[in-house]
Amino acid sequence: MAVSPVPKRPVPVPFTGRIVGEPVSSGHAVQWAQQLSYLNNYNVHQIVSTGFRPITGSYSGITSVGTSFAYAKSPGSKVVLVGISPGMNPDTSTFTPRTFWANAALPAGATWIGISPFDSSISSTSRLISYQDRNISRNSFYWGLVDVSNCSTAFIHDFRVDVTNSLGAATSTAGQGLATLSACEIPLAAINPLVNSQDIGVDIDWGAPGSPIYEYSPTSSLGTLGVQKALERARGEWRDHWQLCFHDDDERLPGATVAVANVATNILYRIRYEATPPLLTKRVRKLDLGDSTVQHRFRCTYRHAGTSNTNSLILNYRPLGSGLSYSTATLSLPYSTTWTTAEVDVLLPNTGSDQEVDLFFSFVSKSAGTRVFLKNIALIENPVP
Amino acid sequence: MTSLTGDLINSEGFIRIPDTSDSQLKDNRPFDSGTAIIYQHNLNWLQKQNKRTLVNLVGFVNQAAVSQNNYGFLGITDRPTPVSPAAESQERQISWNRATALPAFGPFHVPIDHPASGDGAPTIRPLKFHLGYYNAAASAITFMIYVTTSELSPADGGFIGSSISTSTTTGYVDKEGFIYCDAPQNETAVWSSRPDGGLVTTRAVYIHVGFQLNDSSSDLRYLTITET
């Protein structure tokens, strides 16, 4: 059977001419099927695409830095494409080539596909990655493919990437680390022809002329119930990821040290000018009728230094352009000197300009002198019920 | 040209229809236009709402001023240095090395569902950006965002959309705007997407961010780019 391709662009279907109570032609069913396929397969799940503040210090004894990003898997057989571009060659004077290993720690159930430059099970010497040379203008990128089909959809996973200098502890680390990190989720069927697509869709033949469009089977992808279920999945399984990643061993930078107990301190100490919070923004979807919006999971991977005490990370947000006072969502950060993840649910408003909120983060501790270090801050849509 | 995402019943949201056995969706019952319109509205609404965060970062790049590194061409061995970088077209004024640019972001697989202005072909969704930087001195500072169809810089591979932000204001600068792109012509991946094996042909774009700082204390503060 010849298989028709998914259209390369959606076809607008006007309401004109449709009268409530009148029957619907099979041509409409074809359009639904086509548009569903288009909708679901061009919305590739973008997980992260971020840049890193360059490490500017020269820290003897530190050979490794790392970061992590959060990942909420969508149902079905999927692949995550992970990519990095390396930091700058630390040897600024002699331009001696420098190399590193980038080891990615995968979520439970995930496996590498083929040979990945980030796979620590492969001989380290075979996958040394060169830092970017300052004399080369074209940037280098490295990619790995991860089969995440067996990963749970019940919770948010951590992907960790650690960068280790190959020359050991005696080397300066200025300039090392990552420059960019990106990840997106695609169907496993995209790269494996032996895997049938498990993506939502409706067989196009269902709407063929002569086929009654009221016909359906709960177990097949045909019929109006198929469209109905496919719509619900399209609505609920597509989850926006908004996140910021940081080098985890960047602590010699000015830190978010609480000067005064119980007074909020701007958390984004990793940007140079912290007196004015950056105008971070996020687009907030609106799916159901009424004022409700998509619930987000506010998530942070962190560790502390200083006095042990009760600490909180506060998300301050308001509709973009509203001029309203900021609302807050508080994420409790139990004191921990090892990397830990905390998360809480928050409802963001969608009434701002272009459905955006502007936001910033602050840190509060009951003890002056407490510091917090961050690997990742994420706002990820929860599944829509 | 009307939106490619089609008509909407309202501007409020997705309309839920129970899919349980006691709903109006019964086997061998006719399916009427009213329900069809709701289906179509829901499809169009999802198409309108499913827009992604593409780039999101804070931090600074803190590279040398253009006067110190000749627009990033100083020492570059893999491309010729213009006689006068400032006289070149905007995308050719910098070397696109790490002193003048961030590595490319992407690839982003993009839908073609935005009507072109005039009679042109439909194209990708516009991108909305929020860009913040700090200008340490009252000298010109320039940030460039280019949308390309490859990892090559816009100077090497051309571009399909751009936004150039220049300011001489001292202090914090917040910019927001839209980037309208031509339709990318490259087809980069094909994957099976329907139970019957229907294939999707995707097109990918990359986002390049370059800068010219006339004071080495000036810097990038944040950048967010979303589909809109």
Side-chain angles (χ1 to χ4, degrees):
Chain A
M1 182 185 76
V3 175
S4 62
V6 173
K8 294 180 180 179
R9 66 178 63 108
V11 178
V13 184
F15 294 156
T16 309
R18 295 190 185 174
I19 302 169
V20 174
E22 294 290 316
V24 180
S25 79
S26 59
H28 294 135
V30 173
Q31 289 172 323
W32 294 334
Q34 294 280 31
Q35 197 171 346
L36 263 173
S37 294
Y38 183 90
L39 170 68
N40 291 318
N41 292 288
Y42 283 92
N43 277 322
V44 172
H45 212 131
Q46 191 67 39
I47 301 165
V48 63
S49 184
T50 191
F52 291 83
R53 176 195 190 285
I55 295 176
T56 54
S58 179
Y59 314 144
S60 63
I62 296 176
T63 60
S64 181
V65 294
T67 191
S68 67
F69 64 89
Y71 167 50
K73 182 186 176 292
S74 54
S77 297
K78 302 291 181 184
V79 170
V80 170
L81 179 62
V82 182
I84 67 163
S85 59
M88 189 69 84
N89 187 337
D91 277 340
T92 56
S93 56
T94 61
F95 295 108
T96 303
R98 286 292 189 89
T99 53
F100 66 92
W101 296 284
N103 294 328
L106 303 182
T111 57
W112 292 106
I113 296 175
I115 298 175
S116 159
F118 316 133
D119 185 352
S120 59
S121 67
I122 302 174
S123 167
S124 59
T125 53
S126 67
R127 55 189 178 81
L128 279 174
I129 296 173
S130 295
Y131 281 116
Q132 181 78 32
D133 194 318
R134 282 176 166 73
N135 286 358
I136 302 296
S137 66
R138 291 177 175 83
N139 290 295
S140 50
F141 299 87
Y142 299 88
W143 298 95
L145 275 171
V146 185
D147 185 343
V148 293
S149 303
N150 294 322
C151 292
S152 173
T153 58
F155 54 87
I156 296 174
H157 300 275
D158 280 308
F159 261 86
R160 201 180 79 239
V161 180
D162 293 311
V163 173
T164 305
N165 267 351
S166 63
L167 293 183
T171 60
S172 158
T173 59
Q176 78 159 26
L178 303 175
T180 61
L181 169 68
S182 70
C184 66
E185 181 193 75
I186 57 178
L188 179 59
I191 62 164
N192 187 341
L194 300 180
V195 175
N196 291 324
S197 170
Q198 296 179 8
D199 270 351
I200 36 189
V202 178
D203 282 359
I204 210 75
D205 286 350
W206 167 62
S211 298
I213 71 164
Y214 48 76
E215 184 178 276
Y216 81 93
S217 163
T219 57
S220 80
S221 57
L222 303 178
T224 50
L225 193 59
V227 173
Q228 174 79 15
K229 289 181 174 176
L231 271 170
E232 288 292 337
R233 293 188 64 187
R235 169 178 168 276
E237 292 180 0
W238 188 92
R239 298 165 68 180
D240 187 40
H241 287 58
W242 182 104
Q243 54 187 322
L244 298 167
C245 302
F246 308 98
H247 285 132
D248 60 11
D249 209 354
D250 210 4
E251 64 183 78
R252 299 180 190 215
L253 299 168
T257 302
V258 173
V260 181
N262 299 316
V263 174
T265 302
N266 179 16
I267 191 64
L268 290 175
Y269 58 97
R270 290 164 199 276
I271 66 171
R272 190 173 186 180
Y273 305 101
E274 57 186 276
T276 300
L279 184 71
L280 300 175
T281 53
K282 184 189 188 306
R283 190 175 193 277
V284 182
R285 290 201 297 161
K286 178 174 168 54
L287 291 183
D288 285 320
L289 295 175
D291 294 330
S292 63
T293 66
V294 179
Q295 190 179 56
H296 288 71
R297 185 65 55 89
F298 171 27
R299 193 173 192 274
C300 172
T301 301
Y302 71 96
R303 71 178 175 88
H304 289 115
T307 308
S308 174
N309 215 320
T310 303
N311 308 303
S312 299
L313 180 65
I314 299 174
L315 165 65
N316 305 266
Y317 62 91
R318 65 181 177 184
L320 181 67
S322 68
L324 297 173
S325 300
Y326 284 95
S327 301
T328 59
T330 299
L331 177 60
S332 176
L333 305 183
Y335 188 83
S336 172
T337 56
T338 58
W339 290 104
T340 305
T341 297
E343 53 188 39
V344 69
D345 290 332
V346 58
L347 275 174
L348 300 176
N350 57 33
T351 52
S353 172
D354 291 320
Q355 291 182 221
E356 289 180 310
V357 290
D358 71 276
L359 54 93
F360 68 94
F361 301 95
S362 51
F363 178 61
V364 176
S365 174
K366 287 190 175 179
S367 175
T370 299
R371 299 183 75 190
V372 67
F373 305 106
L374 302 174
K375 225 181 220 187
N376 174 269
I377 300 178
L379 290 166
I380 297 176
E381 288 183 347
N382 278 340
V384 179
Chain B
M1 187 173 180
T2 58
S3 167
L4 291 179
T5 57
D7 293 339
L8 297 171
I9 298 173
N10 61 48
S11 59
E12 298 298 320
F14 190 96
I15 300 172
R16 304 292 298 271
I17 302 174
D19 62 0
T20 56
S21 58
D22 58 352
S23 75
Q24 64 265 50
L25 298 176
K26 299 280 193 183
D27 206 358
N28 294 321
R29 297 276 181 84
F31 190 76
D32 83 305
S33 280
T35 309
I37 287 174
I38 294 175
Y39 272 27
Q40 191 60 48
H41 163 84
N42 284 345
L43 268 168
N44 295 342
W45 184 262
L46 290 177
Q47 190 85 13
K48 181 182 168 70
Q49 288 289 315
N50 285 7
K51 293 172 180 171
R52 301 166 292 181
T53 304
L54 298 185
V55 177
N56 193 31
L57 63 92
V58 295
F60 67 92
V61 287
N62 193 35
Q63 302 294 349
V66 293
S67 58
Q68 296 171 308
N69 63 16
N70 192 28
Y71 294 79
F73 288 102
L74 188 66
I76 292 296
T77 58
D78 64 341
R79 67 187 315 153
T81 301
V83 174
S84 176
E88 297 285 326
S89 58
Q90 188 71 56
E91 75 279 7
R92 296 180 184 278
Q93 288 187 7
I94 58 174
S95 70
W96 293 96
N97 75 338
R98 291 290 171 80
T100 52
L102 301 172
F105 296 100
F108 304 111
H109 297 278
V110 288
I112 309 290
D113 65 357
H114 185 74
S117 58
D119 297 328
T123 185
I124 66 174
R125 298 165 177 174
L127 306 180
K128 184 174 186 184
F129 68 86
H130 292 274
L131 167 69
Y133 48 86
Y134 180 79
N135 193 351
S139 54
I141 185 169
T142 301
F143 277 87
M144 298 164 266
I145 304 173
Y146 287 96
V147 182
T148 72
T149 55
S150 76
E151 293 174 356
L152 293 174
S153 75
D156 291 327
F159 58 93
I160 59 172
S162 66
S163 178
I164 313 298
S165 170
T166 299
S167 175
T168 55
T169 303
T170 303
Y172 302 107
V173 179
D174 298 306
K175 297 278 188 180
E176 117 178 21
F178 296 89
I179 303 174
Y180 297 92
C181 300
D182 298 330
Q185 297 303 308
N186 62 326
E187 294 185 340
T188 54
V190 176
W191 58 62
S192 173
S193 65
R194 275 200 312 252
D196 65 356
L199 300 176
V200 161
T201 303
T202 70
R203 301 183 190 192
V205 299
Y206 296 78
I207 295 174
H208 298 254
V209 180
F211 37 85
Q212 293 178 16
L213 312 177
N214 282 303
D215 187 297
S216 56
S217 294
S218 298
D219 229 320
L220 174 70
R221 299 181 68 232
Y222 62 86
L223 175 65
T224 302
I225 301 177
T226 56
E227 293 179 320
T228 190

